[in-house]
Amino acid sequence: MKRILLDCDPGIDDALAIALAHGSPELEVVGITTVAGNVGLERTTPNALSLTEFYGMDVPVARGADRPLLRAPDTASTVHGATGLGDVVLPTAKAEPDTRHAVDFIIDTVAASPGEISLVAVGPLTNVALALRKEPRLAEWVREFVVMGGSYTRGNLTPAAEFNIGADPEAAGVVFDAPWEPVMFGLDLTHQARATSEVRQRFVGLGKLQEELLSPCLDFYGSNRQYRDEGPAIHDACAVAHVIAPELFTTVRARVDVETSGRFTSGMTVTDFAPEAEHNALVATALQQRAFWDLLTEAFERVASSMP
Ligand code: RIB
Ligand code: CA
């Protein structure tokens, strides 16, 4: 059993990543922390609370940073909708967020179980950067740190920057400069995880989960011009899947530096695979697609059969 703490900005693909984590018997979700990203914190936090109750999860949710370290907030509401979940409206959660700030929740949770917590970040890295600044030993205490972000080819926020990195490049720089070895799931990998019509056929029959969440969310997400040809890329679930089944992925050691000052390249994850480079990360390059979708479908089936 692996214990996972998920920092996210739900967000449609974040919602599927949460379902994957919940539906996987290999994982115990010890907490969810929210950050401003796809939409503002005033949406990502209630979205996380509503999603956990919709799925039937009893997991603390702690709210985090409502803006990047230095830059003005940006959103991806054109991709995820004004609410962050497309046109899906879930029941308002009964639970309140944890009383702690996400940064303190992350530090407390990891410090209480050194070597046991898989920290997975699938939104802008503001919370993780602040946690590292407040408690630098976080980098040695985590079991692993897995991040959905970046790209070693082109971005989606700009030609150079992927959204999670480009939304808060200074935070991403703190995170990649810390003394740990992030496992980076950039767009090069996540664009191999497309929810095609063939894949989505596997979700038919999942009842309320399919009808009230998966189908409307994937319809909305897939309508975005960047996904129209092959179906939406389920970015965030890739990072969670690596915690469950790392054997589904090919990863390569590399040097990753985050550009923070380029006029056209700010937020770029400058990735050097050269053997002589001073490697500081593992970068995911290939996905076993069939096995990935088997994993997701089985997890969604478990969620669907246990939902309230
Ligand atoms: O670029 C994709 C990433 O940005 C995903 O995490 C998506 O949820 C958005 O946050
Ligand atoms: Ca996200």
Side-chain angles (χ1 to χ4, degrees), residues 203-215:
F203 304 155
V204 173
L206 292 185
K208 197 166 89 163
L209 177 65
Q210 159 73 349
E211 287 137 28
E212 297 181 22
L213 188 89
L214 295 178
S215 185

Side-chain angles (χ1 to χ4, degrees), residues 9 13-14 38 80 122-123 148 156 162-164 187 235-236:
D9 60 335
D13 60 324
D14 305 69
N38 285 319
H80 295 264
V122 297
M148 191 279 133
N156 58 1
E162 176 278 327
F163 177 81
N164 287 341
L187 297 177
H235 306 281
D236 296 343

Side-chain angles (χ1 to χ4, degrees), residues 3 10 39 56 73 79 97 105 109 111 147 160 190 203 239 258 280:
R3 304 175 70 205
V39 287
V79 179
F105 184 92
T109 304
V147 50
T190 63
F203 304 155
V258 180
N280 64 339

Side-chain angles (χ1 to χ4, degrees), residues 30-302:
V30 298
I32 291 175
T33 50
T34 58
V35 66
N38 285 319
V39 287
L41 189 72
E42 75 286 351
R43 286 299 333 150
T44 58
T45 303
N47 285 348
L49 287 163
S50 293
L51 284 162
T52 54
E53 290 189 5
F54 180 71
Y55 294 147
M57 300 169 75
D58 181 14
V59 173
V61 174
R63 63 197 306 274
D66 66 355
R67 73 198 66 193
L69 295 184
L70 297 179
R71 299 178 188 229
D74 196 355
T75 76
S77 56
T78 55
V79 179
H80 295 264
T83 68
L85 294 177
D87 44 23
V88 166
V89 179
L90 295 178
T92 302
K94 298 177 185 62
E96 291 293 323
D98 189 282
T99 54
R100 288 167 290 180
H101 189 282
V103 169
D104 296 315
F105 184 92
I106 291 169
I107 294 169
D108 291 350
T109 304
V110 175
S113 306
E116 290 185 27
I117 307 297
S118 294
L119 179 60
V120 180
V122 297
L125 293 170
T126 319
N127 290 341
V128 179
L130 290 168
L132 284 164
R133 278 286 188 266
K134 183 168 185 180
E135 180 45 86
R137 293 174 292 178
L138 185 75
E140 64 188 71
W141 287 342
V142 294
R143 176 175 184 160
E144 57 190 329
F145 173 62
V146 187
V147 50
M148 191 279 133
S151 169
Y152 53 85
T153 51
R154 67 158 290 137
N156 58 1
L157 179 65
T158 70
E162 176 278 327
F163 177 81
N164 287 341
I165 308 299
D168 194 345
E170 287 73 22
V174 168
V175 169
F176 278 91
D177 288 349
W180 54 9
E181 187 175 69
V183 188
M184 177 177 121
F185 283 77
L187 297 177
D188 320 277
L189 186 285
T190 63
H191 274 253
Q192 299 174 43
R194 297 297 192 101
T196 62
S197 51
E198 181 193 359
V199 160
R200 290 185 57 180
Q201 200 50 41
R202 302 184 67 176
F203 304 155
V204 173
L206 292 185
K208 197 166 89 163
L209 177 65
Q210 159 73 349
E211 287 137 28
E212 297 181 22
L213 188 89
L214 295 178
S215 185
C217 272
L218 290 171
D219 284 347
F220 188 98
Y221 202 32
S223 70
N224 188 274
R225 58 177 169 71
Q226 65 183 306
Y227 297 133
R228 267 189 212 130
D229 57 341
E230 290 178 57
I234 310 302
H235 306 281
D236 296 343
C238 296
V240 172
H242 182 268
V243 178
I244 301 163
E247 66 279 7
L248 300 189
F249 303 91
T250 303
T251 56
V252 181
R253 292 178 57 74
R255 173 77 203 176
V256 177
D257 291 293
V258 180
E259 175 60 64
T260 56
S261 59
R263 181 174 164 214
F264 301 107
T265 55
S266 174
M268 181 176 182
T269 45
V270 180
T271 307
D272 185 357
F273 291 105
E276 64 275 14
E278 191 179 337
H279 299 156
N280 64 339
L282 276 174
V283 176
T285 57
L287 163 69
Q288 293 181 33
Q289 294 183 22
R290 172 160 297 282
F292 173 79
W293 290 113
D294 289 347
L295 188 76
L296 248 76
T297 305
E298 288 157 17
F300 289 171
E301 286 167 350
R302 290 188 199 97

